[in-house]
Amino acid sequence: MSATEQIEIRRLGVTEAHAQLDGLAAVLADCVAGGASVSYLAPFSHEQARDAFEAVAAEVEQGRRLLLGAFAYGRLVGTVQVNLALAPNQPHRAEIAKLLVHRSARRRGIAQLLMEHAESEAQAAGKTLLVLDTVTGDAGERLYTRLGWTRVGVIPGYALYPDGRPCDTTVFWKALA
Ligand SMILES: CC(C)(COP(=O)(O)OP(=O)(O)OC[C@H]1O[C@@H](n2cnc3c(N)ncnc32)[C@H](O)[C@@H]1OP(=O)(O)O)[C@@H](O)C(=O)NCCC(=O)NCCS
């Protein structure tokens, strides 16, 4: 990140989530176009990406999920989610999902900032244990290791890349102090 670059990370409530639907969809569609294994297969349209974030906004409204946005000079360039709504016997646990940074904004520390804020927001919501999974060998895996997450192990062939090739997944956890 250049010294002059302004990155703002903030939690998006339901109103702002709706206002930012096109920006969120653009980031998701760009990540899928770039080959990221984040639930979707190619071809994946902007409209499909909007639909995905409409569903996220509904969960934000219900208090089931936190949604964060990263803004560079006011433009949404990254996002991450915290799924709060887990089983009744896991009230202390949350899951991090869909850490996405637009390809044009990568390698400036934006994902790291998003994760630091997501962890703080989860803690503020009373969570003491976080879990996530990510494609084995990708930038995400290095980032989570850097941020002190504990690697559980690898599940071979867990999901598919957008082009249909199988990919392995690494599961991580982190206890919040
Ligand atoms: C994984 C992902 C979120 C990382 O986003 P990012 O904003 O580029 O992440 P960061 O900038 O924090 O770190 C990425 C790399 O840039 C480096 N970096 C950070 N700031 C930097 C700077 N100012 N100058 C040069 N390099 C920098 C980091 O050290 C890191 O290096 P590494 O890959 O060798 O470990 C992004 O690649 C992405 O959206 N991928 C597709 C979706 C995905 O796989 N999500 C994760 C699982 S859901």
Side-chain angles (χ1 to χ4, degrees):
M1 194 182 322
S2 79
T4 52
E5 184 166 31
Q6 296 295 311
I7 303 294
E8 186 196 356
I9 311 287
R10 62 175 187 266
R11 194 169 138 190
L12 309 182
V14 64
T15 304
E16 199 177 7
H18 278 120
Q20 294 290 342
L21 269 183
D22 277 320
L24 291 161
V27 169
L28 173 57
D30 178 74
C31 288
V32 176
S37 173
V38 285
S39 301
Y40 305 103
L41 293 173
F44 185 67
S45 69
H46 185 82
E47 277 311 309
Q48 287 172 296
R50 266 188 73 103
D51 290 347
F53 273 104
E54 288 266 20
V56 171
E59 289 201 39
V60 168
E61 187 163 30
Q62 295 158 7
R64 297 170 62 83
R65 194 172 284 265
L66 304 178
L67 175 65
L68 279 69
F71 297 82
Y73 302 105
R75 184 175 79 95
L76 191 138
V77 293
T79 180
V80 68
Q81 299 170 31
V82 184
N83 180 11
L84 303 171
L86 302 181
N89 72 341
Q90 298 160 36
H92 55 294
R93 189 168 80 79
E95 291 176 357
I96 301 286
K98 301 286 181 295
L99 174 67
L100 307 168
V101 173
H102 195 282
R103 282 177 292 177
S104 64
R106 289 192 188 160
R107 301 191 69 80
R108 301 185 206 166
I110 293 173
Q112 178 164 339
L113 285 173
L114 278 165
M115 283 301 297
E116 288 166 355
H117 280 73
E119 291 176 20
S120 306
E121 292 281 356
Q123 195 165 28
K127 304 299 179 180
T128 54
L129 178 65
L130 297 179
V131 173
L132 64 77
D133 61 68
T134 190
V135 173
T136 305
D138 275 4
E141 185 173 9
R142 293 189 295 278
L143 172 68
Y144 304 131
T145 302
R146 253 194 326 275
L147 292 178
W149 287 66
T150 301
R151 188 176 180 275
V152 177
V154 175
I155 304 175
Y158 184 82
L160 302 179
Y161 287 109
D163 64 7
R165 284 176 301 122
C167 58
D168 300 346
T169 286
T170 303
V171 179
F172 284 91
W173 65 272
K174 186 171 187 175
L176 301 176

